[in-house]
Amino acid sequence: MTIRVVLVDDHPVVRAGLSALIDGTDDLAVVGEASDLASARSVVVQERPDVVLMDLNLGRGAGGADVTAELRALDHPPRVLVLTTYDTEADILRALDAGASGYLLKDAPAEELFAGIRATARGETVLAPSVAATLVRRTASSEPAITEREVEVLELLASGLGNKEMARELLVSEATVKSHLSHIYTKLGVDTRAGAVAAAIERRIIRRTWLERG
């Protein structure tokens, strides 16, 4: 049986390369392509693929994690396998929380990608070795875990927003933002905004170019 695949990536050249690779196999076939949320929803509803291969950076619109959540909420949801260049803790957790079945990196060999698509179609979880290691470290760490909300604060901090702007962005009070910052400083062992951002990047909690997420 042929496994039907939809590609979601905002770069046409990347989609063309992946399509050529995947269509060169005996049991995998690309049945559609998309570059954003609207086109992804449309092609998935029309084609009802077995697996969606999802990039996380889709330009200025909704990111891949948000698109994943939308597709997983459909009446006939496809399984989603993330294929991206990003392997920070924040990106991984967002994608998996959104309902992705697996997470591979774009530097993976072709055979690893094919095996990942097949495993995803069977309902298995597929993780790149570095991604699995990140999740294991998070589970095994004796340090207090950074929460999803604190990750959001760190990302806004990295973009240069002040407390008032962060409060407006997160729809909370400035006092709440200050409380989040206090907890972040304690967990990361720092006492400045710049120190928090640097520590978060070094520990791969956020990525240096997180604004590319769109």
Side-chain angles (χ1 to χ4, degrees), residues 44-127:
V44 166
V45 168
Q46 179 177 335
E47 297 294 341
R48 294 177 65 170
D50 302 298
V51 176
V52 171
L53 205 56
M54 177 73 66
D55 188 19
L56 288 186
N57 179 12
L58 299 177
R60 293 185 174 274
D66 293 328
V67 177
T68 295
E70 291 279 350
L71 297 183
R72 293 295 298 161
L74 293 173
D75 289 339
H76 301 283
R79 293 189 172 99
V80 177
L81 175 60
V82 169
L83 182 67
T84 184
T85 57
Y86 305 123
D87 62 351
T88 66
E89 182 177 303
D91 289 312
I92 295 166
L93 293 179
R94 275 204 187 96
L96 298 181
D97 286 346
S101 297
Y103 199 111
L104 294 179
L105 302 178
K106 286 185 175 178
D107 61 0
E111 286 305 322
E112 184 178 325
L113 172 61
F114 302 153
I117 294 172
R118 294 175 185 122
T120 299
R122 292 194 299 267
E124 300 172 14
T125 298
V126 179
L127 298 175

